[in-house]
Amino acid sequence: GDVVSEAGKQRTMEVFGQPLTPQQVVQTICDAVRSDGIAAVLKYTEQIDKVKLDRDALRVSAEQLEAAHRQADDAFLQALRAIRKNLVAFQQAIRHEDVSVEVTGGGLLQQRYRPLRRVGLCVPGGAAAYPSTVLMTAVPAQVAGVEQIAIVAPPTPFGSENVDLLATCHELGITEVYRAGGAQAVAALAYGVDGLPAVDLIAGPGNLFVALAKRY
């Protein structure tokens, strides 16, 4: 967890003014988000992702999601629907059912499965766009019966500014998409900030800092 490139070390110096380890970077960011809320999320988004956002721009609007869906290529949307159909079929097949066992002498033991109320999904956006990550994390949650799904993706051309990514969210009926990545996005999901309520579980891939933040 302490292996970073020279460029990464230099970026750490620029943002934090000292050569912190990745774990120290994550702890600093997470603690700041926990204490300062959305202000810290916006601060680190500007310093790390080089994108300046205001509070109202953190969440992708319904109009932007709809516009992305209209712009998406029809063949792409058809592929999304085929993939979703396959995912739903598999997830329904493996979904746990409640189990009841009668106990000798009287009584009943029961194991029940209930979906989480609200989950957060991390979608990368550095080297490429990943509509596949949205599908592979959101569809199982939907089949399980999760009521609220919040997606975070960095404000990059491959992240929350990507037409195909936003179109995928709209196609799946996901209305909560936030322009945030890295440790600050994980912390926002974990602690909750103004405009982004906390979640019960965080899933989805990410880089070293995302992985360390999820563990922290």
Side-chain angles (χ1 to χ4, degrees), residues 108-130:
L108 186 72
L109 296 178
Q110 187 175 56
Q111 180 165 287
R112 300 187 303 163
Y113 293 90
R114 295 293 181 267
L116 294 168
R117 180 188 61 86
R118 178 173 173 80
V119 301
L121 307 178
C122 299
V123 180
Y130 295 97

Side-chain angles (χ1 to χ4, degrees), residues 34-214:
R34 179 162 50 185
S35 62
D36 300 333
I38 192 172
V41 175
L42 299 177
K43 168 188 171 184
Y44 288 116
T45 297
E46 181 176 3
Q47 292 182 331
I48 297 172
D49 294 321
K50 305 300 184 184
V51 176
K52 184 175 178 60
L53 300 172
D54 59 30
R55 292 170 180 257
D56 294 335
L58 183 65
R59 180 170 175 172
V60 178
S61 69
E63 292 76 17
Q64 290 168 318
L65 290 169
E66 292 170 4
H69 194 267
R70 289 195 301 269
Q71 294 175 43
D73 185 78
D74 186 61
F76 174 75
L77 295 177
Q78 291 298 326
L80 284 183
R81 290 161 190 158
I83 294 168
R84 181 184 181 278
K85 181 179 179 181
N86 290 336
L87 286 169
V88 167
F90 180 74
Q91 293 298 324
Q92 287 178 334
I94 65 171
R95 184 172 55 186
H96 293 294
E97 301 294 338
D98 293 353
V99 178
S100 296
V101 179
E102 292 186 7
V103 181
T104 302
L108 186 72
L109 296 178
Q110 187 175 56
Q111 180 165 287
R112 300 187 303 163
Y113 293 90
R114 295 293 181 267
L116 294 168
R117 180 188 61 86
R118 178 173 173 80
V119 301
L121 307 178
C122 299
V123 180
Y130 295 97
S132 55
T133 295
V134 177
L135 286 161
M136 291 186 289
T137 54
V139 173
Q142 291 176 328
V143 172
V146 174
E147 295 178 2
Q148 301 175 24
I149 297 174
I151 286 182
V152 293
T156 65
F158 290 140
S160 53
E161 304 304 323
N162 185 266
V163 169
D164 289 340
L165 185 70
L166 297 182
T168 301
C169 293
H170 187 74
E171 178 70 25
L172 297 182
I174 296 169
T175 59
E176 281 191 65
V177 182
Y178 299 91
R179 295 181 174 93
Q184 62 270 23
V186 175
L189 291 172
Y191 303 131
V193 299
D194 184 27
L196 200 177
V199 301
D200 302 311
L201 177 140
I202 301 172
N207 63 14
L208 170 63
F209 297 95
V210 168
L212 290 174
K214 287 162 70 177

Side-chain angles (χ1 to χ4, degrees), residues 6-19 47-48 50:
E6 287 302 320
K9 292 179 182 178
Q10 182 60 38
R11 175 64 67 84
T12 299
M13 287 292 295
E14 294 172 0
V15 174
F16 301 98
Q18 53 184 321
Q47 292 182 331
I48 297 172
K50 305 300 184 184

